[in-house]
Amino acid sequence: MGMVGTVGLVLHPQRDSKEAIDIILGWAAGRDVTVLGLPEEVGRIDCSAVAVDGETLVERADLVVSLGGDGTMLRTMRLIAGRGTPVLGVNLGRLGFLAEIDVAELSETLSAIDHNGHTVEPRMAVRTRLGNQELMAFNDIALVRFPGDGLAAVTVTAAGNPFVNYAADAVIVATSTGSTAYSFSAGGPVVSPRVEAVLVVPAAAHSAFNRALVLPADEEVMLELLPSSGQLAVELDGRVVGRLGPGDQITVTACPGAAKVVRLGTTFYERARRKLRVDGSAEIA
């Protein structure tokens, strides 16, 4: 008997998932494996996956398959956060940095996982509280200026020690996983997801000190908006979840090993070189 008795599906809200779902259902049918999906997602596709709520899917699934891109993968990781259930990312187009495989590899990959032919990589998250909401992100939490409003003027305090004031278009608090996302585009370092660290990166900084900070995962980071700051959007993995004004503050803490993702032999460095097109200087090639 294999390791996988129940597969949970999380789908991209718009991309065509039917080919991938048909492969999963065909693989499952030959092994008496149950396939579950969220009602609002599998309901729009003619398939035999069993519709269940999110809590039931998370409790019952031995493997959760994310069908889409990085946004779907991040949503899946937030859904199963705190559990040991591994997530397999399947790319349905575009960059898909977090995804492990393409659709053509799906059946073979499911069989490999079923026979323990894979590894599981822990992924750290960051969390904060906004009002009465507890929020978690696997890429980043960012304070971002509204177009036409003032800059993000933010004091960064690490482990209770005020360190730097940034004036920037945004201040990003990222995980190692998120180092290849918004943080990367803002000039932050590329960090292996095996490193449990919190990155604080200003985007388009207008201050003399414009460097990123790399902090240990066991230190809290407090971001306080200075009186000169404009109104800022709070983005969690790219989604706006609230706003802050001058004098407001949030505290960000790390959650090591909050999710587990499936790996099948590819390394972070191979994926980073290929998907970020890391070739180095043409002069030394």
Side-chain angles (χ1 to χ4, degrees):
M1 189 179 207
M3 295 181 60
V4 180
T6 303
V7 175
L9 302 179
V10 178
L11 312 183
H12 188 281
Q14 294 161 336
R15 293 183 198 168
D16 185 1
S17 307
K18 184 162 177 36
E19 180 185 0
I21 292 173
D22 287 345
I23 291 172
I24 294 168
L25 290 170
W27 178 89
R31 293 165 177 80
D32 197 26
V33 171
T34 302
V35 180
L36 308 177
L38 300 173
E40 65 275 18
E41 295 181 352
V42 297
R44 68 174 189 264
I45 296 170
D46 182 18
C47 71
S48 59
V50 180
V52 296
D53 59 51
E55 184 176 346
T56 302
L57 185 147
V58 167
E59 287 180 354
R60 291 180 56 187
D62 302 308
L63 171 71
V64 179
V65 180
S66 167
L67 299 174
D70 286 351
T72 308
M73 186 69 173
L74 291 167
R75 180 163 58 89
T76 306
M77 291 162 71
R78 291 194 299 269
L79 180 67
I80 59 91
R83 293 181 175 268
T85 311
V87 178
L88 172 66
V90 182
N91 185 31
L92 297 185
R94 301 187 187 175
L95 182 62
F97 190 94
L98 297 177
E100 181 67 4
I101 63 167
D102 294 323
V103 174
E105 306 164 89
L106 187 47
S107 183
E108 179 183 353
T109 297
L110 290 171
S111 294
I113 295 170
D114 198 35
H115 292 91
N116 202 25
H118 68 293
T119 59
V120 174
E121 184 177 271
R123 290 300 179 98
M124 192 185 85
V126 285
R127 66 183 175 194
T128 192
R129 179 168 288 279
L130 194 63
N132 59 3
Q133 296 182 83
E134 185 81 21
L135 302 171
M136 179 177 286
F138 281 89
N139 264 356
D140 47 54
I141 296 169
L143 304 185
V144 184
R145 68 174 295 199
F146 286 97
D149 208 337
L151 293 171
V154 176
T155 294
V156 178
T157 297
N161 299 286
F163 184 71
V164 64
N165 294 342
Y166 286 128
D169 281 357
V171 177
I172 305 155
V173 182
T175 65
S176 299
T177 298
S179 73
T180 54
Y182 193 4
S183 171
F184 177 77
S185 69
V190 174
V191 181
S192 166
R194 294 182 61 193
V195 177
E196 291 185 342
V198 174
L199 316 179
V200 185
V201 183
H206 295 247
S207 44
F209 184 86
N210 62 0
R211 303 299 184 184
L213 308 178
V214 181
L215 306 173
D218 60 357
E219 293 184 357
E220 288 187 342
V221 179
M222 186 179 76
L223 306 178
E224 182 176 2
L225 278 62
L226 295 167
S228 59
S229 181
Q231 293 283 320
L232 305 182
V234 181
E235 289 188 358
L236 183 145
D237 285 344
R239 300 175 302 117
V240 176
V241 295
R243 63 170 63 199
L244 298 175
D248 290 338
Q249 63 184 43
I250 61 170
T251 298
V252 179
T253 56
C255 307
K260 307 287 191 298
V261 298
V262 171
R263 291 299 178 215
L264 293 144
T266 62
T267 69
F268 165 74
Y269 307 103
E270 290 168 337
R271 293 192 302 276
R273 279 183 59 84
R274 183 176 72 253
K275 298 192 176 186
L276 297 180
R277 300 183 180 179
V278 180
D279 295 320
S281 172
E283 284 78 8
I284 60 173

